[in-house]
Amino acid sequence: MEHEVFVPVTVERLREALGDPVRVARAVPGLQQDAGADPVAGRLKVRVGSHSITYRGAVRVTGRDDGSYAVEGDATETRGTGSVTLSLTLRLRDTEAGTTLTFGGTATADGRVTELPQDAVGSAVVRLLNRFAEALGETEEEPEKPEQPEEQPETPEAVETPAPEEPPAPPVDDFTEPATPPAEAAHARRTMIGRSAEEVDHAPPRGRYAPVPAPQTVAAGATLRWAAPAAAVVLASAIVVTRVLRKRR
């Protein structure tokens, strides 16, 4: 068979893609890669008319000295005993605004695919090659760059104004009085607890703060001056009582 596909991609880019097995496997439409196997190996479901056949196999792409590529593959049916073997030659031709890929070679098969109409099988192969060439020519998606936050314009930092210093407190004169009240004042304050404000205001100070009475000087003559009249009154009363008693007798 022989088939040509045009892709709007330069020859250099296609050669880079064919030299990378990972990109080749990514270009095979519907390929489910096997974990731990070669990149271009796994399961592939092929649609032929109203039928679908699933194959498991591998494909190898090797560059040649003349600039062409050898494409070899083999696969077996996952639900049957049929198998497919292909041996193709892929050539790249630089054309206007792109590249033309030319596939030529042979393919042998047995099993279910031989029971289907040949034109349906040919259409399925052409569709598979077209999709492979188009996917091979697609540009790789560039990794998304994380969005960077917009730079905020630098603003001058606020200058902290120092708080005004408080003037020093004026010195306190020492009047030789203790900072804590003496015991007498504390006792007087305790005794006033529970009393009315009026009583407290009019209560005379006690203890150390109580006023000291002035010393009183009493002369001896003053005592006798008060005592003599009292004795005279008592003596007069006694005389009167005695006279009254005599008259009654």
Side-chain angles (χ1 to χ4, degrees):
M1 70 172 186
E2 188 172 346
H3 180 65
E4 291 185 353
V5 182
F6 171 80
V7 291
V9 180
T10 61
V11 175
E12 289 75 11
R13 288 184 55 182
L14 287 177
R15 291 190 183 279
E16 292 177 2
L18 290 171
D20 187 357
V22 176
R23 296 180 63 178
V24 172
R26 193 182 304 165
V28 177
L31 176 64
Q32 298 179 2
Q33 295 177 268
D34 292 336
D38 294 336
V40 195
R43 298 171 57 182
L44 178 64
K45 181 182 291 187
V46 180
R47 183 81 175 178
V48 182
S50 59
H51 302 272
S52 60
I53 305 174
T54 302
Y55 292 95
R56 182 185 294 276
V59 176
R60 295 165 296 280
V61 180
T62 307
R64 294 176 177 176
D65 295 338
D66 60 354
S68 62
Y69 294 87
V71 181
E72 299 177 352
D74 55 82
T76 58
E77 297 178 7
T78 57
R79 295 183 180 181
T81 58
S83 62
V84 175
T85 303
L86 59 88
S87 177
L88 303 177
T89 300
L90 174 61
R91 292 182 174 85
L92 306 179
R93 186 175 72 254
D94 189 8
T95 57
E96 185 179 357
T99 305
T100 300
L101 285 74
T102 303
F103 296 91
T106 60
T108 58
D110 57 12
R112 293 178 55 191
V113 70
T114 59
E115 302 173 359
L116 301 177
Q118 292 299 317
D119 56 346
V121 175
S123 298
V125 173
V126 170
R127 183 171 60 253
L128 182 63
L129 294 177
N130 289 340
R131 295 177 61 185
F132 171 74
E134 293 173 359
L136 193 65
E138 292 179 355
T139 58
E140 289 187 309
E141 297 181 359
E142 298 182 359
E144 296 182 359
K145 298 181 180 180
E147 296 182 0
Q148 298 181 354
E150 298 181 359
E151 296 183 358
Q152 300 293 338
E154 297 183 358
T155 56
E157 298 181 356
V159 180
E160 296 183 357
T161 56
E165 298 182 357
E166 297 182 358
V172 180
D173 297 335
D174 186 6
F175 294 102
T176 67
E177 290 290 340
T180 58
E184 294 84 353
H187 174 72
R189 195 164 50 246
R190 285 196 300 269
T191 56
M192 294 181 183
I193 296 176
R195 301 169 65 183
S196 64
E198 184 179 357
E199 293 176 346
V200 173
D201 293 340
H202 297 283
R206 300 179 181 180
R208 179 177 180 180
Y209 299 97
V212 180
Q216 298 180 359
T217 55
V218 180
T223 304
L224 295 178
R225 186 171 58 251
W226 288 99
V233 171
V234 173
L235 181 58
S237 299
I239 294 172
V240 172
V241 171
T242 303
R243 289 179 179 179
V244 170
L245 292 175
R246 287 179 180 178
K247 289 180 178 180
R248 290 181 179 181
R249 291 178 181 176

